[in-house]
Amino acid sequence: MEEKVVFARPSLLTDAPFHYCPGCTHGIVHRLIAEVLGELNVSRENVIGIAPVGCAVFAYDYFDCDMTEAAHGRAPAVATGIKRVHPDKVVFSYQGDGDLACIGAAETIHAAARNENITIIFINNGIFGMTGGQMAPTTLLGQYSTTCQDGRDPVLNGYPVHVCEMLSQLKGPQYIERVSTHDAANVLKAKKAIKKAFQYQLEGKGFSMIEVLVACPTNWKMTPVKALEHIKNEVIPYFPLGVYKDRG
Amino acid sequence: MKERVLMKGNEAIAEAAVRGGCRFFAGYPITPQNEIPEYLSKRLPEVGGSFIQSESEVSAINMIYGASCAGARAMTSSSSPGISLKQEGLSYIACGQLPCVVINMVRGGPGLGTIYPGQADYFQAVKGGGHGDYKLFVYTPATVQEAVDITYKSFEMADKYRIPVLILGDGTIGQMMEPVVLPEMKDPATFPEKKWALTGCKGRERNIINTLDMNPERLEAITDRLFDVYEQIRENETEYENYMCDDAETVIVAYGIVSRVAKSAVNILREQGKKVGLFRPITVSPYPDKALSAIADLPNVKKFLVAELSKGQMVEDVRLIVNGRKPVEFYGRTGGFVINTEELISVVEGGKR
Amino acid sequence: MARVIFNTDRCKGCGLCVTACPKQIVHINGDKVNAIGYNPAEVSEMDKCIGCAMCATMCPDCVIEVRR
């Protein structure tokens, strides 16, 4: 029997090596986006992507399609502008927790409320990675960061923001799910969710946001393997996985 | 002969934008410019365009960033406090060389200020406003007709030079009604292709629009290009009105609503045999510096008087251009006051200050 | 026969593939340094590979191609 390639770098990714730290699972999510668009037969000329400010700021180097890079937190607004001009293109933004849940919270909420026909991939790693490990809106209570060095204290620093839970209260959005990258089974579930989100966009059904729990071994100060265990044991209990809204 | 219609400045600007090919607008309510988004909310869908009342000024300008990236002729409008919020986006748009049109119906400030007219956003408009090295291309209409013509032309200029164009109006221009002749409707299908735009990379390399470059040579080259373009605009596109300056002893320099008052003052003073002229910049960034400089060289010109609705902003540019050759005096009002003709005549005659 | 091909010079040695492999045949080679300065992952007993692609699924750097 002839040998077949059953797993390879998807064609929507360029050949550029990811700049992410060892064990950071951003790269998995990049690959999933490229894989599902390939599986949905969305070719490179039919995708326009928006990179955020944060660790994924260079995402425009990795997707072989038209790309732009938005100001911090503004990707949903930029995506809105692009999608309204090109309703026939698949438009996605890729944003971290500082970008989406902090400085861009308003843009996120209102793109969802408008049920803008875009897909947002939201990376929750509980930290500002690119700037060196400051507290994010998703930093867990008790978690160390360079701006809450004794651990996040709700009295001093407030509570983490649950974006899926919050957006699911809105009438607008089509589909909101939280997934994780801490093991292969969950990566496959994440892939399924991302695929569904893009499928909904192709069907014109509107706004999807997939929150993906991602490891930041560097700023969590853990080995990559420990960081995945941390997601499983500490992050998921606080940010439960699942479908928060699906209008079908 | 084309039909003249009576229109409010804001609505006339909105219609001129549509006729100039604008197919995307995002904005946020703020007085005194609300008629622009109100008009476009109804008008843009009629021509297949898109209107969004955004959640914030910040979001509006970033929607413009997106629509411009996507190749559309896009516009936003606001008034002073709202324009302050757009500065982040304008910096990105300028760096990304993204064409768009921004209307500022200036109101008195600082802070929440007033809804009455002002001209105190001049520095913000012409000196940058947002972070980093960039310039906007700034027009200052003085009549509703001129606002229409400038708006219509601004989309061409923005596309031609890949630069954000700011129309620096004021509350009066936005709110007043005047008869206007509206320009022809353009068909966006006839506009030249924007090869740099994000349109889906069919049969070509992907396009990337970003404003980040960690390579010093490349980033310096981008900044240099922005300023090369700005110099081309200075060379080709600066506009002004020279109203009886050639034999004048006193030259009033004013733009926008104040220039209309100044023109009335010049007419009255001329009737009295007094040699007063008006220099009215129509573009203030780039400034029509050669034209003003030539007037400063005229032996008959004894002095300049800059009149503004601010504590003195454009006067700094005039002083830089006149460069000590002639005295440059200043008269300004703030708080929402518009200088009136008698007041200005009194100032010219050495009275009220 | 299944096998995996590692684009070794792209590997950052994070070891996520090591824990993902149900057959426990992927390991980090501490004696080797790749082109970008990491100890890369590799497979010692390829004949035990079942081509499940768990390693590739967990690889953040698209290092692994799976054939069967």
Side-chain angles (χ1 to χ4, degrees):
Chain A
M1 205 172 82
E2 202 182 328
E3 186 181 63
K4 279 188 195 150
V5 175
V6 294
F7 195 107
R9 190 180 183 89
S11 67
L12 192 65
L13 289 181
T14 65
D15 196 43
F18 298 140
H19 70 281
Y20 302 106
C21 302
C24 161
T25 49
H26 260 299
I28 294 179
V29 186
H30 282 17
R31 191 191 72 227
L32 296 182
I33 292 169
E35 282 176 355
V36 304
L37 287 171
E39 289 171 16
L40 291 167
N41 295 316
V42 178
S43 51
R44 63 191 280 280
E45 65 258 34
N46 288 317
V47 190
I48 301 175
I50 297 118
V53 171
C55 284
V57 70
F58 299 116
Y60 53 77
D61 280 338
Y62 307 135
F63 293 95
D64 182 28
C65 58
D66 280 0
M67 293 284 295
T68 186
E69 191 277 309
H72 201 23
R74 315 300 174 220
V78 172
T80 297
I82 293 173
K83 185 70 182 185
R84 294 290 182 106
V85 176
H86 296 303
D88 57 326
K89 302 287 183 252
V90 170
V91 176
F92 74 95
S93 73
Y94 187 100
Q95 304 173 251
D97 39 31
D99 190 271
L100 179 140
C102 208
I103 200 165
E107 283 78 359
T108 308
I109 291 167
H110 288 271
R114 289 191 303 269
N115 198 26
E116 210 62 59
N117 193 24
I118 58 174
T119 303
I120 295 182
I121 307 300
F122 165 38
I123 302 301
N124 175 355
N125 61 5
I127 202 88
F128 276 74
M130 181 64 106
T131 45
Q134 295 81 11
M135 186 182 71
T138 46
T139 297
L140 300 179
L141 294 180
Q143 184 184 335
Y144 167 86
S145 85
T146 59
T147 49
C148 53
Q149 299 190 10
D150 296 324
R152 183 176 190 155
D153 175 349
V155 176
L156 295 174
N157 312 117
Y159 288 86
V161 175
H162 289 75
V163 179
C164 286
E165 288 83 342
M166 205 166 65
L167 292 188
S168 68
Q169 297 304 306
L170 299 173
K171 295 281 184 213
Q174 166 69 16
Y175 175 43
I176 308 286
E177 181 166 355
R178 183 182 290 126
V179 294
S180 175
T181 53
H182 69 279
D183 61 26
N186 276 280
V187 168
L188 294 175
K189 280 186 195 165
K191 179 175 175 178
K192 210 171 140 193
I194 292 170
K195 190 169 183 176
K196 192 196 260 189
F198 281 116
Q199 181 65 48
Y200 280 147
Q201 184 179 159
L202 288 167
E203 291 167 4
K205 286 186 171 167
F207 183 94
S208 293
M209 188 200 73
I210 306 301
E211 174 175 343
V212 190
L213 303 182
V214 159
C216 182
T218 301
N219 288 302
W220 293 356
K221 306 190 185 305
M222 294 175 193
T223 65
V225 172
K226 285 278 179 217
L228 295 190
E229 287 169 12
H230 176 78
I231 293 179
K232 185 180 172 190
N233 300 327
E234 307 293 335
V235 183
I236 291 174
Y238 203 81
F239 288 108
L241 305 182
V243 176
Y244 284 83
K245 190 178 182 85
D246 186 349
R247 288 161 61 184
Chain B
M1 192 175 144
K2 283 183 185 167
E3 191 191 1
R4 277 157 69 87
V5 288
L6 188 64
M7 284 185 92
K8 197 170 190 175
N10 283 334
E11 293 186 344
I13 284 172
E15 179 60 29
V18 171
R19 293 180 182 221
C22 175
R23 289 296 177 271
F24 185 92
F25 179 95
Y28 186 88
I30 183 169
T31 308
Q33 61 82 51
N34 292 316
E35 295 83 0
I36 298 174
E38 285 166 356
Y39 187 94
L40 290 173
S41 69
K42 189 159 187 330
R43 185 73 173 105
L44 273 175
E46 290 173 1
V47 293
S50 203
F51 167 89
I52 301 178
Q53 181 170 326
S54 59
E55 59 272 22
S56 69
E57 300 281 6
V58 175
S59 189
I61 193 69
N62 282 285
M63 288 175 184
I64 299 306
Y65 177 103
S68 181
C69 278
R73 289 192 170 182
M75 181 171 94
T76 184
S77 65
S78 189
S79 180
S80 309
I83 296 290
S84 291
L85 286 165
K86 292 190 201 288
Q87 295 303 323
E88 174 204 47
L90 281 171
S91 172
Y92 282 73
I93 284 170
C95 186
Q97 299 178 79
L98 295 169
C100 69
V101 176
V102 178
I103 312 283
N104 183 359
M105 287 302 174
V106 183
R107 53 192 256 182
L112 202 49
T114 172
I115 60 169
Y116 299 126
Q119 293 185 322
D121 295 358
Y122 180 92
F123 281 153
Q124 186 193 54
V126 311
K127 305 294 181 192
H131 61 282
D133 269 325
Y134 73 92
K135 294 280 192 183
L136 303 176
F137 183 0
V138 184
Y139 283 104
T140 61
T143 66
V144 174
Q145 182 67 58
E146 192 172 55
V148 163
D149 297 342
I150 283 173
T151 303
Y152 192 68
K153 179 167 59 180
S154 288
F155 287 95
E156 293 295 326
M157 291 296 154
D159 278 1
K160 180 176 174 189
Y161 293 102
R162 291 189 60 186
I163 191 169
V165 176
L166 179 78
I167 300 177
L168 192 65
D170 59 64
T172 325
I173 298 292
Q175 294 300 320
M176 65 167 54
M177 290 185 86
E178 286 188 311
V180 290
V181 176
L182 291 165
E184 303 259 303
M185 186 75 160
K186 285 182 184 168
D187 177 4
T190 64
F191 297 156
E193 188 194 353
K194 295 174 179 174
K195 290 192 175 3
W196 49 267
L198 309 185
T199 55
C201 52
K202 191 170 186 181
R204 61 162 167 79
E205 287 289 300
R206 69 214 175 94
N207 284 337
I208 297 173
I209 295 173
N210 81 340
T211 63
L212 169 74
D213 204 320
M214 303 291 279
N215 175 309
E217 282 85 19
R218 283 203 304 262
L219 186 59
E220 190 173 46
I222 289 168
T223 318
D224 287 348
R225 191 159 66 237
L226 299 182
F227 281 78
D228 288 347
V229 166
Y230 189 72
E231 288 310 312
Q232 287 171 34
I233 296 170
R234 187 193 302 283
E235 202 57 41
N236 303 332
E237 314 294 352
T238 45
E239 290 183 42
Y240 61 93
E241 181 184 0
N242 173 337
Y243 188 69
M244 300 193 201
C245 293
D246 294 341
D247 66 341
E249 292 175 1
T250 298
V251 173
I252 303 172
V253 186
Y255 68 93
I257 185 63
V258 180
S259 69
R260 296 173 67 138
V261 175
K263 194 176 266 186
S264 301
V266 168
N267 289 339
I268 292 167
L269 288 162
R270 284 275 171 178
E271 279 173 19
Q272 297 169 6
K274 289 167 184 155
K275 292 195 167 174
V276 180
L278 165 69
F279 182 80
R280 178 172 78 91
I282 297 170
T283 58
V284 289
S285 172
Y287 205 90
D289 45 7
K290 279 183 200 160
L292 182 62
S293 190
I295 292 169
D297 274 336
L298 295 174
N300 49 285
V301 172
K302 301 285 183 267
K303 69 169 183 181
F304 291 89
L305 170 67
V306 179
E308 294 178 72
L309 305 183
S310 77
K311 294 302 284 181
Q313 300 195 6
M314 182 175 74
V315 65
E316 292 194 5
D317 279 344
V318 173
R319 284 185 176 136
L320 280 170
I321 294 161
V322 173
N323 199 17
R325 283 173 286 175
K326 304 286 162 68
V328 177
E329 296 175 358
F330 172 73
Y331 182 70
R333 293 299 301 269
T334 63
F337 280 112
V338 177
I339 298 166
N340 67 46
T341 315
E342 296 72 30
E343 187 182 4
L344 189 58
I345 289 170
S346 162
V347 173
V348 171
E349 293 185 323
K352 181 173 176 178
R353 269 290 184 280
Chain C
M1 265 288 280
R3 64 183 178 121
V4 286
I5 300 162
F6 283 64
N7 186 353
T8 304
D9 283 341
R10 290 278 180 101
C11 177
K12 294 173 186 162
C14 70
L16 298 190
C17 53
V18 175
T19 48
C21 177
K23 294 291 172 187
Q24 297 180 322
I25 56 169
V26 190
H27 58 91
I28 298 293
N29 185 344
D31 296 330
K32 196 166 159 186
V33 176
N34 70 5
I36 53 172
Y38 293 105
N39 300 137
E42 59 186 37
V43 171
S44 47
E45 300 161 276
M46 194 66 83
D47 55 322
K48 290 187 181 169
C49 177
I50 54 170
C52 67
M54 290 297 150
C55 56
T57 300
M58 286 310 291
C59 176
D61 290 287
C62 294
V63 168
I64 307 165
E65 187 177 295
V66 185
R67 297 184 186 186
R68 61 175 180 240

